[in-house]
Amino acid sequence: MPVKQINSAVANENTPASLNSTRPQKVGFVSLGCPKNLVDSEVMMGLLARSGAELTTHAEDADVIVVNTCSFIESAQQESVNTILEMATHKTSGRVRKLVVAGCLVERFRDQIRKNIPEVDAVVGTGELENILAATGVAPVPRPSDSPFVVLPSRPEANARAAQGRFSRESWDGAIADLPNYLYDDSTPRVLATPRYMAYIKIAEGCDHACSFCIIPQLRGQFRSRRLESVVAEAERLARSGVREITLIGQDTTCYGEDFGLKDGLPLLLERLARIEELRWIRFLYAYPNKITGKLLETIAAHEKICSYMDVPLQHASASVLKRMKRGGGADLFLRSIEKMRRTVPDLTLRTSFIVGFPGETEKEFEELCDFVREAQFDWMGAFAYSDQEGAGAYSLDQKLSAREIERRRRRLMGVQKQISKKKKKALVGREFDLLLEGTSEESELLLEGRTAMHAPEIDGKVFVNDVRDEITPEPGHFYRCQITESHEHDLVARIV
Ligand code: SF4
C-alpha cells in the first residue's frame, strides 16, 4: 500500500544534495488530519532528508514508517489508531524495522500508545519535531543556525487563559505536562508533499481562544507567531522553486503578530507577500470572526494576488449556544459583519463551518442556525457533528444529544446549504475566471480539473474542464482563462477560452 503520496517532493535550499555514504534509511510518511499537520510532516521530512534519509511513497520499501496523527475529534483519533495498526503489519510482512507515531495523538495519549501498541518504537509530539531524527535512527546533520525551540513572548490573553487552566492536561492520563512550544522558521528544511505549484505556510501555531468544544490549545500550546521576515523569506524561496499559490494557515491566522506586539499583522504580511512577483494567488484560512478588521478587508480588496476569499469558521449562529461555546457573537452581529465583508471585498467567496448538536442545543437554537444559513448565503459551508472530548470545557456539560439526533441535524443543515450552493453555482455559468489547472481528473481520464480563486485547495469543489482549443496544450500548474459552462451542486464545468 502506498504511503501518503509525496507528490513531486520539492527539496528546498536547506536540503542536502549528498546522502550518507552508508545505505540511507528509507522513511515512509503517512500524514493524517489538517494542512497544519501536513506542514509538520513536511518539516519532519525535510529534517530527515537533510540528514541523509531517503523518502519513499511505498510502505513495503520503507525501513521506517512515520504516522503523523490527528486527535482533534474522536473519529480522527480512531482513524489515527487504525492507520498505526495497519502500518504495524508491515513490520511482520515487509522490511519495516521501525514504526514511529508523531503528532496530536501523541500529545493526548503518549503513554497509552506505547503501552497498548507494542509495535510502536518511538513517539514524537507536536513540540518535538526535531526528535524525528533520533526516533527514526537517522543521524542528525548539525547546523549552527538551527534554533527551533524558541520561547516567544506570549499575549496577555494567553496568560489569562493559562491562569484559568485552559492549557491544563491534568485530566489526561498519559499526556506529559509540558506544552509544545515548537515553531519552524525559514531556515528549517521542508519537503513539500503538495503539488509543486502550491504550498501551505504555517504562520502561527497554538491557540489562546476559549472555545469550550476544542482541545487544540492543550494539544498545540499557546498562540505564537513566526517572524514576518521569516514567513516572507520562506514564501520567496517557495516562489523561486515554482510555487504559484500560497495558503497561509495557523489555528487562528487573524491573531498573527499579536504575540510580538504587531498591529495589523496579517494585513501587513499579506501586503509583503503580494509584492513577490512569481506568486499568483495568496490566501489565508481559519479567520476568527471578531478579528476581521476593516484594514484586513481593505488589504484583500486592494491586491489582485490576494484571493477574494475568506474562511471564517463561525461554529454556530445562536447567541446562547455561542455563549456556551465560549465564543460570543450571534446571527445579527455575524450578518452585519458579512455584509461589511461583501461590501468591502467585491465578489467575495465566503466559507464557514458549524458544529451541530452542541450540548443543550435546543430545536429552536438549531432552527436559528438554519435560518441564519439561509440568510447569509455562504459559498461554501461545512457542518460537523459535535464530538465530546475529555479535557474540553463542554465535556462536563449536561444535556448531551444522542448521536442519531446530532446526525439528523447535521444532514438537515447540509440540506439547507445544498439549495444555496446549487443556486450560487448556477449563477456562475457564462462567467470567465482564471483557472489553475491541476491535471487529469480523478473522475474520468477524459476530463481535466482545476480550481479558480474561489476554490481553496482540497476543501472546496472543483472545476472540470471538458473543452480545450486544439492549439492549447494544457499543463498542470499553469493558469488559463476559462468560461463556466455548467454547474452542479458543488462542482463546475468549464472550457478553456
Ligand atoms: S479558535 Fe477555538 S476552535 Fe479554533 S483552535 Fe482555537 S480553541 Fe479551537
Side-chain angles (χ1 to χ4, degrees):
M1 181 205 156
V3 177
K4 168 93 184 168
Q5 285 297 319
I6 304 164
N7 300 319
S8 320
V10 177
N12 68 24
E13 280 173 7
N14 298 308
T15 310
S18 63
L19 299 173
N20 290 345
S21 52
T22 54
R23 188 181 73 78
Q25 292 265 43
K26 276 195 177 179
V27 184
F29 254 84
V30 185
S31 192
L32 303 170
C34 63
K36 290 156 276 188
N37 216 36
L38 181 68
V39 172
D40 286 354
S41 294
E42 293 175 338
V43 166
M44 286 188 277
M45 289 194 284
L47 291 164
L48 288 163
R50 191 178 72 185
S51 292
E54 204 177 294
L55 298 168
T56 174
T57 56
H58 297 284
E60 55 274 21
D61 288 346
D63 301 308
V64 185
I65 292 181
V66 182
V67 183
N68 193 17
T69 58
C70 176
S71 188
F72 182 42
I73 52 175
E74 205 185 319
S75 56
Q77 292 170 357
Q78 194 54 55
E79 187 194 6
S80 294
V81 171
N82 292 347
T83 308
I84 296 166
L85 294 175
E86 189 187 337
M87 290 301 133
T89 61
H90 291 282
K91 280 185 90 174
T92 42
S93 63
R95 63 186 264 179
V96 175
R97 287 182 286 107
K98 267 190 173 181
L99 179 61
V100 177
V101 176
C104 286
L105 199 75
V106 174
E107 295 296 336
R108 175 68 184 84
F109 299 107
R110 184 178 294 256
D111 288 352
Q112 279 98 325
I113 295 170
R114 304 207 69 156
K115 205 159 65 194
N116 298 326
I117 316 180
E119 293 92 338
V120 174
D121 298 282
V123 292
V124 178
T126 60
E128 3 171 79
L129 299 191
E130 287 228 317
N131 289 358
I132 194 65
L133 299 175
T136 50
V138 174
V141 174
R143 298 212 348 158
S145 63
D146 282 356
S147 57
F149 291 95
V150 185
V151 182
L152 296 164
S154 57
R155 308 151 70 217
E157 288 91 329
N159 300 333
R161 295 265 189 265
Q164 292 159 6
R166 180 59 174 125
F167 304 100
S168 168
R169 301 163 161 207
E170 260 172 36
S171 66
W172 289 351
D173 182 24
I176 55 167
D178 291 351
L179 276 178
N181 66 3
Y182 181 87
L183 195 54
Y184 83 101
D185 65 24
D186 57 300
S187 71
T188 316
R190 204 179 143 195
V191 172
L192 295 192
T194 46
R196 61 185 162 68
Y197 49 82
M198 65 92 42
Y200 294 102
I201 295 185
K202 201 192 274 191
I203 60 171
E205 180 57 282
C207 180
D208 296 340
H209 289 295
C211 311
S212 63
F213 52 82
C214 182
I215 55 169
I216 294 286
Q218 290 107 304
L219 293 174
R220 293 266 165 182
Q222 296 188 350
F223 179 83
R224 53 214 187 265
S225 310
R226 284 177 59 189
R227 301 287 155 179
L228 192 132
E229 296 307 329
S230 167
V231 179
V232 174
E234 185 181 15
E236 285 172 344
R237 191 175 63 226
L238 288 167
R240 280 199 302 274
S241 73
V243 168
R244 298 292 170 261
E245 179 187 22
I246 275 185
T247 304
L248 306 179
I249 52 172
Q251 312 301 337
D252 171 4
T253 48
T254 40
C255 279
Y256 175 74
E258 283 186 10
D259 50 325
F260 48 83
L262 198 62
K263 193 173 175 308
D264 293 320
L266 184 58
L268 217 60
L269 176 63
L270 289 167
E271 269 170 14
R272 287 287 302 276
L273 297 178
R275 284 187 226 151
I276 301 175
E277 209 176 309
E278 298 94 330
L279 294 180
R280 275 291 286 272
W281 286 346
I282 301 157
R283 76 178 85 224
F284 58 95
L285 301 179
Y286 318 120
Y288 198 80
N290 69 6
K291 294 278 178 183
I292 298 166
T293 61
K295 173 80 179 158
L296 178 60
L297 298 173
E298 284 155 22
T299 306
I300 298 170
H303 295 272
E304 208 182 322
K305 287 183 184 181
I306 304 172
C307 299
S308 299
Y309 178 103
M310 290 198 68
D311 166 49
V312 191
L314 293 174
Q315 314 297 8
H316 214 281
S318 152
S320 44
V321 175
L322 284 162
K323 195 169 172 202
R324 296 204 296 282
M325 285 180 164
K326 291 205 174 7
R327 284 180 63 92
D332 291 345
L333 189 73
F334 291 161
L335 286 171
R336 282 201 299 278
S337 168
I338 289 168
E339 192 274 319
K340 185 178 173 189
M341 287 182 218
R342 288 184 169 141
R343 188 167 16 96
T344 319
V345 185
D347 259 340
L348 177 73
T349 299
L350 190 55
R351 161 173 273 280
T352 193
S353 54
F354 297 108
I355 294 175
V356 293
F358 187 78
E361 182 190 68
T362 62
E363 194 65 46
K364 185 165 171 279
E365 288 166 335
F366 174 65
E367 285 305 325
E368 246 182 273
L369 174 58
C370 294
D371 288 345
F372 170 74
V373 168
R374 278 185 209 102
E375 201 161 345
Q377 299 278 304
F378 295 102
D379 299 280
W380 305 109
M381 188 206 86
F384 298 94
Y386 170 77
S387 165
D388 218 16
Q389 292 298 309
E390 191 183 357
Y395 190 69
S396 58
L397 294 180
D398 295 331
Q399 298 177 283
K400 302 269 164 67
L401 276 71
S402 69
R404 203 167 152 197
E405 177 57 18
I406 294 175
E407 184 54 19
R408 184 190 72 78
R409 293 185 187 188
R410 196 190 68 78
R411 283 170 190 256
R412 170 106 196 286
L413 187 63
M414 288 309 291
V416 172
Q417 176 62 19
K418 188 174 167 179
Q419 301 309 321
I420 297 166
S421 187
K422 264 190 190 165
K423 198 179 74 187
K424 290 218 146 209
K425 302 292 167 287
K426 200 170 168 192
L428 298 171
V429 174
R431 290 185 60 188
E432 287 191 9
F433 298 93
D434 286 340
L435 175 105
L436 171 59
L437 192 77
E438 299 206 281
T440 307
S441 167
E442 285 168 13
E443 310 273 316
S444 160
E445 280 185 16
L446 301 174
L447 294 173
L448 296 168
E449 67 178 41
R451 290 181 288 113
T452 71
M454 300 179 288
H455 302 80
E458 295 171 81
I459 45 174
D460 298 327
K462 288 181 175 166
V463 182
F464 297 108
V465 178
N466 63 358
D467 187 0
V468 183
R469 286 210 318 266
D470 286 347
E471 64 270 28
I472 299 174
T473 311
E475 278 186 60
H478 286 229
F479 288 81
Y480 300 91
R481 196 74 187 155
C482 76
Q483 185 185 44
I484 308 298
T485 53
E486 263 178 64
S487 70
H488 297 274
E489 190 184 320
H490 293 294
D491 302 321
L492 297 165
V493 181
R495 68 184 182 96
I496 290 180
V497 293

Short mmCIF file of all heavy atoms in Angstrom, two decimals, residues 195-198 242-245 278 280 435-440 449-451 474-480:
data_model
loop_
_atom_site.label_atom_id
_atom_site.label_comp_id
_atom_site.label_asym_id
_atom_site.label_seq_id
_atom_site.Cartn_x
_atom_site.Cartn_y
_atom_site.Cartn_z
N PRO A 195 1.41 19.42 -4.62
CA PRO A 195 1.92 19.61 -5.99
C PRO A 195 2.88 20.80 -6.03
O PRO A 195 2.71 21.75 -5.26
CB PRO A 195 0.65 19.90 -6.78
CG PRO A 195 -0.47 19.31 -5.98
CD PRO A 195 -0.06 19.43 -4.56
N ARG A 196 3.83 20.77 -6.96
CA ARG A 196 4.94 21.73 -6.92
C ARG A 196 4.51 23.18 -7.07
O ARG A 196 5.24 24.09 -6.75
CB ARG A 196 5.99 21.38 -7.99
CG ARG A 196 5.43 21.43 -9.37
CD ARG A 196 6.35 21.00 -10.47
NE ARG A 196 5.58 20.71 -11.65
CZ ARG A 196 4.92 21.62 -12.37
NH1 ARG A 196 4.99 22.89 -12.04
NH2 ARG A 196 4.21 21.26 -13.41
N TYR A 197 3.28 23.41 -7.56
CA TYR A 197 2.85 24.78 -7.79
C TYR A 197 2.12 25.40 -6.60
O TYR A 197 1.72 26.54 -6.63
CB TYR A 197 1.96 24.86 -9.03
CG TYR A 197 0.85 23.82 -9.04
CD1 TYR A 197 -0.32 24.03 -8.34
CD2 TYR A 197 1.01 22.60 -9.71
CE1 TYR A 197 -1.33 23.07 -8.32
CE2 TYR A 197 0.02 21.64 -9.69
CZ TYR A 197 -1.15 21.88 -8.99
OH TYR A 197 -2.12 20.92 -8.95
N MET A 198 1.87 24.61 -5.54
CA MET A 198 1.18 25.19 -4.38
C MET A 198 1.81 24.74 -3.06
O MET A 198 2.42 23.68 -2.99
CB MET A 198 -0.32 24.88 -4.39
CG MET A 198 -0.76 23.46 -4.26
SD MET A 198 -1.10 22.84 -2.59
CE MET A 198 -1.95 24.09 -1.78
N GLY A 242 9.08 27.50 -7.87
CA GLY A 242 7.98 27.18 -8.77
C GLY A 242 6.59 27.27 -8.16
O GLY A 242 5.60 27.05 -8.84
N VAL A 243 6.51 27.57 -6.84
CA VAL A 243 5.20 27.67 -6.20
C VAL A 243 4.51 28.94 -6.68
O VAL A 243 5.11 30.02 -6.72
CB VAL A 243 5.34 27.65 -4.66
CG1 VAL A 243 4.04 28.05 -3.97
CG2 VAL A 243 5.79 26.26 -4.20
N ARG A 244 3.23 28.83 -7.07
CA ARG A 244 2.47 29.99 -7.55
C ARG A 244 1.29 30.32 -6.63
O ARG A 244 0.71 31.39 -6.73
CB ARG A 244 1.93 29.71 -8.97
CG ARG A 244 3.05 29.51 -9.99
CD ARG A 244 3.81 30.81 -10.24
NE ARG A 244 5.01 30.59 -11.02
CZ ARG A 244 6.23 30.50 -10.49
NH1 ARG A 244 6.42 30.61 -9.19
NH2 ARG A 244 7.29 30.31 -11.27
N GLU A 245 0.92 29.37 -5.79
CA GLU A 245 -0.23 29.60 -4.90
C GLU A 245 0.20 29.29 -3.47
O GLU A 245 0.70 28.21 -3.18
CB GLU A 245 -1.38 28.66 -5.29
CG GLU A 245 -2.59 28.82 -4.39
CD GLU A 245 -3.68 27.79 -4.66
OE1 GLU A 245 -3.37 26.73 -5.22
OE2 GLU A 245 -4.83 28.07 -4.30
N GLU A 278 6.55 36.25 -8.49
CA GLU A 278 6.17 34.96 -9.08
C GLU A 278 4.85 34.43 -8.56
O GLU A 278 4.24 33.55 -9.16
CB GLU A 278 7.26 33.90 -8.80
CG GLU A 278 8.62 34.21 -9.39
CD GLU A 278 9.52 34.93 -8.38
OE1 GLU A 278 8.98 35.67 -7.52
OE2 GLU A 278 10.73 34.77 -8.47
N ARG A 280 0.95 33.99 -7.77
CA ARG A 280 -0.30 34.41 -8.43
C ARG A 280 -1.45 34.52 -7.43
O ARG A 280 -2.25 35.41 -7.51
CB ARG A 280 -0.70 33.38 -9.50
CG ARG A 280 -0.06 33.57 -10.85
CD ARG A 280 -0.54 34.79 -11.62
NE ARG A 280 -1.87 34.71 -12.19
CZ ARG A 280 -2.18 34.23 -13.37
NH1 ARG A 280 -1.22 33.73 -14.14
NH2 ARG A 280 -3.42 34.23 -13.82
N LEU A 435 -8.10 30.01 -14.15
CA LEU A 435 -8.16 28.64 -13.65
C LEU A 435 -6.74 28.11 -13.47
O LEU A 435 -5.92 28.22 -14.37
CB LEU A 435 -8.91 27.76 -14.66
CG LEU A 435 -8.95 26.28 -14.32
CD1 LEU A 435 -10.34 25.90 -13.83
CD2 LEU A 435 -8.60 25.41 -15.53
N LEU A 436 -6.47 27.56 -12.30
CA LEU A 436 -5.19 26.86 -12.08
C LEU A 436 -5.44 25.40 -12.43
O LEU A 436 -6.21 24.71 -11.75
CB LEU A 436 -4.75 27.00 -10.61
CG LEU A 436 -3.56 26.16 -10.17
CD1 LEU A 436 -2.31 26.47 -10.98
CD2 LEU A 436 -3.26 26.37 -8.69
N LEU A 437 -4.81 24.96 -13.51
CA LEU A 437 -5.03 23.59 -13.96
C LEU A 437 -4.23 22.63 -13.08
O LEU A 437 -3.04 22.84 -12.84
CB LEU A 437 -4.60 23.45 -15.43
CG LEU A 437 -5.06 22.14 -16.05
CD1 LEU A 437 -6.55 22.21 -16.39
CD2 LEU A 437 -4.25 21.81 -17.27
N GLU A 438 -4.91 21.57 -12.60
CA GLU A 438 -4.23 20.65 -11.69
C GLU A 438 -3.91 19.30 -12.32
O GLU A 438 -3.18 18.51 -11.73
CB GLU A 438 -5.07 20.46 -10.43
CG GLU A 438 -5.28 21.78 -9.70
CD GLU A 438 -5.54 21.60 -8.23
OE1 GLU A 438 -6.69 21.28 -7.90
OE2 GLU A 438 -4.61 21.76 -7.42
N GLY A 439 -4.48 19.01 -13.48
CA GLY A 439 -4.15 17.75 -14.16
C GLY A 439 -5.38 17.01 -14.59
O GLY A 439 -6.49 17.56 -14.62
N THR A 440 -5.18 15.72 -14.91
CA THR A 440 -6.30 14.89 -15.34
C THR A 440 -7.21 14.63 -14.15
O THR A 440 -6.74 14.44 -13.03
CB THR A 440 -5.76 13.55 -15.90
OG1 THR A 440 -4.80 13.86 -16.89
CG2 THR A 440 -6.87 12.72 -16.51
N GLU A 449 -8.97 18.80 -14.57
CA GLU A 449 -9.60 19.50 -13.47
C GLU A 449 -8.68 20.58 -12.91
O GLU A 449 -7.46 20.51 -13.05
CB GLU A 449 -10.06 18.55 -12.36
CG GLU A 449 -8.95 17.85 -11.63
CD GLU A 449 -9.47 16.94 -10.52
OE1 GLU A 449 -10.48 16.24 -10.72
OE2 GLU A 449 -8.85 16.95 -9.44
N GLY A 450 -9.29 21.56 -12.30
CA GLY A 450 -8.51 22.66 -11.73
C GLY A 450 -9.34 23.43 -10.74
O GLY A 450 -10.42 22.99 -10.32
N ARG A 451 -8.84 24.60 -10.35
CA ARG A 451 -9.54 25.44 -9.38
C ARG A 451 -9.46 26.89 -9.82
O ARG A 451 -8.52 27.29 -10.51
CB ARG A 451 -8.87 25.32 -8.01
CG ARG A 451 -9.06 23.99 -7.34
CD ARG A 451 -8.40 23.94 -5.99
NE ARG A 451 -6.96 23.88 -6.09
CZ ARG A 451 -6.14 24.84 -5.69
NH1 ARG A 451 -6.61 25.95 -5.17
NH2 ARG A 451 -4.83 24.71 -5.81
N PRO A 474 -2.62 21.88 -22.49
CA PRO A 474 -2.75 22.25 -21.07
C PRO A 474 -1.69 21.60 -20.19
O PRO A 474 -1.41 20.42 -20.33
CB PRO A 474 -4.15 21.75 -20.69
CG PRO A 474 -4.68 21.03 -21.85
CD PRO A 474 -3.69 21.01 -22.95
N GLU A 475 -1.13 22.40 -19.30
CA GLU A 475 -0.09 21.88 -18.41
C GLU A 475 -0.47 22.11 -16.97
O GLU A 475 -0.81 23.23 -16.58
CB GLU A 475 1.23 22.61 -18.68
CG GLU A 475 1.98 22.07 -19.86
CD GLU A 475 3.33 22.75 -19.98
OE1 GLU A 475 4.12 22.64 -19.02
OE2 GLU A 475 3.56 23.41 -21.00
N PRO A 476 -0.39 21.06 -16.13
CA PRO A 476 -0.71 21.23 -14.71
C PRO A 476 0.20 22.29 -14.08
O PRO A 476 1.38 22.39 -14.41
CB PRO A 476 -0.42 19.85 -14.11
CG PRO A 476 -0.50 18.91 -15.25
CD PRO A 476 -0.06 19.67 -16.46
N GLY A 477 -0.38 23.09 -13.21
CA GLY A 477 0.40 24.13 -12.54
C GLY A 477 0.39 25.45 -13.30
O GLY A 477 0.95 26.43 -12.84
N HIS A 478 -0.24 25.46 -14.49
CA HIS A 478 -0.33 26.69 -15.29
C HIS A 478 -1.73 27.29 -15.17
O HIS A 478 -2.70 26.59 -14.91
CB HIS A 478 0.00 26.42 -16.76
CG HIS A 478 1.47 26.19 -16.96
ND1 HIS A 478 2.20 26.82 -17.93
CD2 HIS A 478 2.35 25.40 -16.30
CE1 HIS A 478 3.46 26.42 -17.85
NE2 HIS A 478 3.57 25.56 -16.87
N PHE A 479 -1.82 28.59 -15.41
CA PHE A 479 -3.10 29.28 -15.32
C PHE A 479 -3.68 29.50 -16.71
O PHE A 479 -2.95 29.83 -17.65
CB PHE A 479 -2.91 30.65 -14.63
CG PHE A 479 -2.63 30.52 -13.16
CD1 PHE A 479 -1.36 30.23 -12.68
CD2 PHE A 479 -3.65 30.69 -12.23
CE1 PHE A 479 -1.10 30.10 -11.33
CE2 PHE A 479 -3.41 30.56 -10.86
CZ PHE A 479 -2.14 30.28 -10.42
N TYR A 480 -5.00 29.31 -16.84
CA TYR A 480 -5.70 29.52 -18.11
C TYR A 480 -6.98 30.31 -17.84
O TYR A 480 -7.54 30.23 -16.76
CB TYR A 480 -6.07 28.17 -18.74
CG TYR A 480 -4.86 27.31 -19.04
CD1 TYR A 480 -4.37 26.42 -18.09
CD2 TYR A 480 -4.19 27.44 -20.26
CE1 TYR A 480 -3.25 25.65 -18.35
CE2 TYR A 480 -3.06 26.67 -20.53
CZ TYR A 480 -2.59 25.78 -19.57
OH TYR A 480 -1.47 25.04 -19.82
#
